């Protein structure tokens, strides 16, 4: 397998602080992050490592200093709006790991909350890489934002490289099928892709199933305008109670399961991979069911 | 005795840099239709168009052991037919002569433009990635064709050790290609809301890699990466530029119009490089050629200003 790209940087550089309006906004945001998390969070975030060069970015374009400022609003949502509660986060091992979660809620806030949990609660703290949709790089402002906070286009090669470098990645095998499903299908896992299993086998990566409970109710889609979506070239066009999706202040629970390790050939027939994928799916479904039963209220 | 290294396109800015690196240790023979200003005295340069029959005479003498083919033009102002004929027919001709007259080594200079910037590119394209460069920029299809022809040649002539070298954007005090020219603009355009990672390599580091590709046993495809990757905005900040962000919807048609009226040096398709990734993995060149860039990231960027002292001596002494 190809070696992960190494930065030529050997020393830790003190990156130049940006000046002007952008610089001021950034330092204000960074202060907001620390205000919410206290000295404890500041110490945790200082432990983040990335092979940064003298311009403060890693080979994939992640900029830690930018990330620390950019997470402030997400951290506010995490602490005050969704009041995220993590269960069993100690199941997430250090080093190479694949977090595999159910996807729901019309807006991918579940991914955002899972990412924040890796920064503020997991041990060691880390920037979790989501494998974003292939059209994300065509969106102005969003594309560079994603890159600076460590999100990477979800090609198999990128995933392989990140795992080989010992990173934590986040996968939603349901994709938009899960994200944009209508309300009557809540807490029912949709069809899984097989790609994640091939990569996990190839790189011998443990899979940690994560049941996200709460997000399924945040923005309830009544029906999906499939014909209009097709016309507009969108994956789905869900109509929610608020017409356009607006997340309700539901309470999030993140249940982390024990790491699942699989062995076998990554280039095996689909039927063999499907059997392994079904095992992961069944495990995640039972974790979701238990999570729904054990919570007291949606809010 | 076979000891000559024939360099096509030697009078170009990169060719002259390579000639100065190589001619201390090798007997360099140059081929170009343009004169070589400041040519070292002991350097033999033939002023012939690469498509002419007379080129065959250079090979016929039988004293050429290696061919470095870099006579490949990329000038958007040049007529398409001329562009295509020079690049494709020229390449075909010299490569054929090389196999016919027993040249042991052929090094072809391609570039990572053959992959092309695409929204769904891997962050680190490997040598096996498909060459989609002409999908969004049809005018460069001859560059893709040259690369493909060289690959086909590599299989067809296993006796000739063929290496195809694909460097990332070459910059330096002398080169005058699109990336260097862009970075020399005081008010360069950027696409509003886009800031892709870019890779640059110093012209002398390319010359060093080409000379390393002459080592016996080296064959295959090699991406050539400089000292790392960084956001385009950081490059422009390092150079003290004042970028003008233009919305991408209007930038392309606008630049095409300006190019047509000769008010801009680049066609609109080049803007893809300011929008999407075209970054590659240079691991193979590192392992198999033993290539390590000599210039640091900061030196490489600042070299377009012409202020970093050349280090030819240091690279050859090492």
């Amino acid at each position: 397998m190809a070696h992960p790209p190494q930065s030529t940087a050997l020393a830790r550089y003190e990156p130049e602080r940006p000046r002007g309006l952008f610089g001021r906004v950034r330092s204000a945001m960074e202060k907001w992050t620390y205000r919410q998390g206290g000295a404890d969070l500041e110490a945790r975030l200082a432990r983040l490592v990335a092979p940064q060069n003298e311009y403060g970015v890693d080979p994939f374009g992640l900029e830690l200093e930018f990330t620390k400022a950019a997470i402030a609003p997400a951290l506010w949502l995490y602490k005050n709006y969704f009041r995220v509660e993590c269960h069993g986060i100690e199941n997430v091992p250090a080093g190479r790991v694949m977090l595999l979660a159910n996807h729901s809620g019309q807006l991918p806030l579940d991914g955002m909350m899972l990412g924040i949990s890796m920064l503020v609660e997991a041990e060691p703290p880390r920037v979790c890489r989501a494998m974003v949709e292939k059209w994300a790089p065509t969106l102005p402002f969003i594309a560079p934002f994603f890159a600076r906070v460590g999100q990477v286009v979800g090609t198999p090669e990128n995933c392989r490289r990140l795992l080989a470098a010992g990173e934590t990645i986040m996968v939603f095998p349901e994709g938009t099928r899960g994200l944009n499903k209508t309300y009557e299908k809540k807490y029912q896992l949709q069809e899984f892709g097989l790609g994640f299993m091939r990569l996990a086998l190839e790189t011998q990566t443990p899979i940690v199933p994560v049941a996200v409970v709460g997000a399924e109710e945040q923005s309830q889609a009544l029906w999906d305008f499939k014909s209009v979506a097709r016309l507009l070239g969108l994956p789905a066009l869900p109509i929610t109670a608020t017409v356009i999706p607006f997340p309700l202040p539901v309470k999030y629970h993140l249940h982390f399961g024990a790491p699942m390790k699989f062995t076998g050939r990554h280039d095996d027939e689909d039927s063999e991979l499907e059997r392994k994928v079904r095992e992961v799916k069944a495990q995640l479904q039972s974790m979701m069911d238990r999570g729904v039963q054990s919570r007291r209220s949606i809010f | 005795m076979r000891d000559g290294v024939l360099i096509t396109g030697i009078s170009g800015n990169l060719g002259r840099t390579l000639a100065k690196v190589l001619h201390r240790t090798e007997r360099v023979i140059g081929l170009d239709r343009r004169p070589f200003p400041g040519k070292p005295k002991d350097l033999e340069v033939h002023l012939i168009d690469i498509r002419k029959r007379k080129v065959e005479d250079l090979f016929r003498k039988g004293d050429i052991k290696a061919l470095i083919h870099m006579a490949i033009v990329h000038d958007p102002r040049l007529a398409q037919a001329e562009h295509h004929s020079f690049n494709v027919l020229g390449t075909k001709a010299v490569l054929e002569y090389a196999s016919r007259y027993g040249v042991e080594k052929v090094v072809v200079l391609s570039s990572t433009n053959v992959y092309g910037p695409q929204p769904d590119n891997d962050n680190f394209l490997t040598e096996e990635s498909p060459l989609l460069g002409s999908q969004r920029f049809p005018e460069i299809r001859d560059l893709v064709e040259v690369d493909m022809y060289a690959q086909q040649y590599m299989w067809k002539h296993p006796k000739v050790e063929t290496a195809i070298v694909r460097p990332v954007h070459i910059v330096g005090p002398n080169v005058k290609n699109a990336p260097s020219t862009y970075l020399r603009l005081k008010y360069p355009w950027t696409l509003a809301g886009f800031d892709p990672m870019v890779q640059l390599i110093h012209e002398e580091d390319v010359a060093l890699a080409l000379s390393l590709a002459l080592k016996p046993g080296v064959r295959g495809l090699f991406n050539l990466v400089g000292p790392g990757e960084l956001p385009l905005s950081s490059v422009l900040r390092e150079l003290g530029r004042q970028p003008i962000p233009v919305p991408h919807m209007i930038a392309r048609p606008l630049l095409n119009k300006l190019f047509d009226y000769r008010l801009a040096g680049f066609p609109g398709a080049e803007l893809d490089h300011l929008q999407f990734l075209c970054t590659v993995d240079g691991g193979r060149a590192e392992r198999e050629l033993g290539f390590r860039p000599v210039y640091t990231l900061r030196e490489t960027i600042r070299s377009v200003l012409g202020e970093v002292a050349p280090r030819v001596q240091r690279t050859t002494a090492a």
Side-chain angles (χ1 to χ4, degrees):
Chain A
M1 200 197 320
H3 291 283
Q6 287 295 313
S7 166
T8 48
L10 297 172
R12 259 194 101 97
Y13 292 93
E14 196 54 56
E16 208 180 308
R17 311 287 302 181
R19 292 174 297 263
L21 180 64
F22 175 71
R24 280 210 298 281
V25 171
R26 207 178 95 168
S27 12
M29 298 269 286
E30 198 176 332
K31 282 197 196 103
W32 185 20
T33 299
Y34 293 142
R35 212 163 43 237
Q36 294 183 71
D40 183 42
L41 181 69
E42 195 163 349
R44 281 183 68 86
L45 295 184
R47 283 163 61 203
L48 291 175
V49 283
Q52 296 180 92
N53 61 21
E54 60 263 53
Y55 294 91
V57 289
D58 86 341
F60 281 86
L62 161 66
E63 191 181 351
L64 287 180
E65 295 307 312
F66 178 86
T67 304
K68 288 174 191 173
I71 58 168
L75 191 58
W76 182 84
L77 287 175
Y78 187 90
K79 290 199 179 275
N80 302 302
Y81 196 81
F82 295 127
R83 294 146 292 135
V84 180
E85 217 172 284
C86 291
H87 310 267
I89 200 163
E90 61 282 358
N91 280 325
V92 182
R96 168 170 69 215
V97 60
M98 198 183 263
L99 304 179
L100 180 144
N102 54 315
H103 210 14
S104 63
Q106 313 309 330
L107 298 172
L109 296 169
D110 44 4
M112 194 194 261
M113 294 303 114
L114 189 52
I116 296 288
S117 77
M118 288 297 111
L119 280 168
V120 303
E121 299 198 36
E123 191 54 47
R126 64 195 94 184
V127 176
C128 181
R129 313 270 197 169
M131 302 277 105
V132 304
E133 290 283 346
K134 288 184 181 175
W135 46 260
T138 65
L139 305 173
F141 301 100
I142 292 177
F145 178 83
F146 273 1
R148 290 311 157 265
V149 299
Q151 310 308 297
V152 171
V153 177
T155 68
E157 178 64 23
N158 280 345
C159 188
R160 208 173 284 136
R161 232 169 243 281
L162 288 166
L163 290 173
E167 302 243 10
T168 300
I169 67 155
M170 187 195 302
V171 291
F172 297 100
E174 297 169 276
T176 51
R177 290 186 295 274
L179 186 68
N180 295 329
K181 66 180 179 286
T182 47
Y183 190 56
E184 81 273 9
K185 293 183 197 144
K186 65 176 172 165
Y187 298 110
Q188 294 167 26
L189 286 174
Q190 304 297 301
E191 196 194 323
F192 270 32
L194 300 180
F196 78 91
M197 184 54 79
R198 285 192 198 283
L199 286 160
L201 289 171
E202 189 182 338
T203 55
Q204 296 173 330
T205 302
I207 297 174
V208 171
V210 185
V212 182
V213 174
E216 307 258 351
E217 284 96 355
Q218 79 184 10
S219 190
Q220 306 164 357
L222 304 174
W223 66 88
D224 184 2
F225 263 122
K226 285 205 180 70
S227 52
V228 182
R230 214 171 300 136
L231 205 66
L232 297 174
L234 300 171
L237 190 67
I239 302 298
T240 59
T242 50
V243 188
I244 56 161
F246 180 83
L248 301 173
V250 291
K251 186 169 174 63
Y252 267 52
H253 295 267
L254 304 180
H255 296 270
F256 295 85
M260 301 173 82
K261 286 184 186 136
F262 291 91
T263 49
R265 282 174 37 211
H266 67 88
D267 52 356
D268 219 337
E269 280 173 35
D270 279 3
S271 58
E272 183 52 34
L273 283 153
E274 272 160 12
R275 195 182 56 72
K276 293 180 171 120
V277 169
R278 271 200 302 277
E279 202 179 312
V280 177
K281 200 171 166 182
Q283 173 67 15
L284 183 58
Q285 185 70 58
S286 78
M287 283 168 58
M288 279 161 61
D289 295 345
R290 265 179 284 142
V292 172
Q293 277 165 17
S294 65
R295 71 174 168 177
R296 265 166 291 153
S297 143
I298 296 176
F299 296 102
Chain B
M1 199 190 121
R2 266 186 202 283
D3 61 348
V5 177
L6 180 68
I7 302 178
T8 66
I10 197 166
S11 303
N13 294 305
L14 188 61
R16 297 205 306 273
T17 307
L18 175 64
K20 284 171 188 157
V21 171
L22 266 188
H23 98 285
R24 291 154 212 261
T25 50
E26 307 277 355
R27 189 169 71 84
V28 173
I29 307 162
L31 171 65
D32 206 308
R33 52 180 170 176
R34 305 160 292 183
F36 188 131
K39 176 176 84 70
K41 280 223 171 57
D42 51 339
L43 198 70
E44 175 189 341
V45 175
H46 300 268
L47 300 181
I48 321 171
D49 185 307
I50 193 171
R51 291 161 292 181
K52 293 278 190 281
R53 288 304 284 182
K54 269 172 77 184
V55 174
E56 193 171 356
D57 294 341
L58 289 178
F59 287 91
R60 200 173 275 135
K61 273 191 249 162
D63 59 352
I64 294 172
K65 63 167 183 183
L67 164 70
I68 300 181
H69 177 47
M70 51 201 297
I72 296 160
V73 296
H74 177 35
D75 176 3
R77 290 277 176 219
L78 206 62
Q80 274 288 297
E82 171 65 10
H83 214 271
H84 202 270
S85 141
F86 186 86
N87 287 341
V88 178
L89 298 181
T91 302
K92 216 173 146 147
V94 287
L95 263 55
E96 280 308 319
Y97 301 147
S99 57
R100 194 177 304 160
Y101 296 102
V103 174
E104 296 143 26
K105 167 77 84 181
V106 169
V107 180
V108 178
L109 180 71
S110 182
S111 82
T112 56
N113 284 336
V114 294
Y115 303 116
Q118 315 273 344
D120 54 351
N121 266 353
D122 292 327
N123 281 51
F124 296 94
L125 296 163
T126 62
E127 285 83 352
E128 282 66 44
S129 304
L131 308 186
L132 301 175
S134 59
Q135 191 178 315
R136 298 171 65 98
F137 190 4
E139 285 75 20
I140 66 156
R141 66 182 178 277
D142 54 332
L143 304 183
V144 177
E145 217 168 298
V146 164
D147 192 295
M148 298 288 242
Y149 181 78
Q151 289 187 51
Q152 187 192 330
Y153 177 86
M154 182 162 75
W155 298 116
K156 233 162 75 183
H157 300 282
K159 275 197 201 138
V160 187
E161 268 182 12
T162 307
I164 301 164
V165 179
R166 295 175 184 154
V168 297
H169 299 308
I170 305 172
V171 295
N174 301 309
V175 290
K176 290 191 183 64
N177 55 4
S180 305
T181 309
Y182 171 77
L183 292 177
R184 287 189 192 108
L185 298 172
K186 192 160 189 294
Y187 302 99
W189 282 20
T190 56
L191 295 178
F194 290 96
D195 189 14
M197 298 292 279
V198 293
Q199 292 169 323
L200 305 173
I201 188 167
H202 195 281
E203 54 188 37
E204 283 174 27
D205 279 330
V206 177
L208 170 68
L210 290 171
S211 62
L212 289 171
L214 292 177
K215 272 195 306 198
V218 168
R219 62 167 78 221
L221 305 162
F222 299 97
N223 288 337
L224 217 57
V225 176
E229 36 284 315
L230 75 170
L232 176 66
S233 61
S234 301
V235 179
L236 297 176
R237 203 174 308 127
E238 176 69 52
L239 292 168
R241 303 302 183 216
Q242 281 149 331
I244 304 169
V246 184
H248 66 285
M249 289 87 78
I250 63 161
R252 235 166 289 253
L254 186 60
L255 190 58
N256 275 331
K257 270 278 164 289
L258 290 174
F259 180 75
D260 288 347
Y261 293 122
R262 299 190 163 262
L263 294 169
F266 319 96
E270 295 273 11
L271 291 172
D272 280 352
H273 282 287
L274 311 181
Q275 190 173 12
F276 304 126
L277 286 178
C278 184
T279 41
V280 300
D281 176 3
R284 189 184 291 170
E286 207 177 302
R287 291 188 299 275
E288 294 181 24
L289 300 183
F291 170 72
R292 283 273 179 169
V294 173
Y295 286 86
T296 67
L297 197 48
R298 186 156 278 140
E299 287 170 335
T300 303
I301 297 167
R302 298 194 72 90
S303 71
V304 297
L305 304 172
E307 65 178 29
V308 181
R311 286 207 204 163
V312 174
Q313 285 85 349
R314 207 174 99 184
T315 60
T316 46

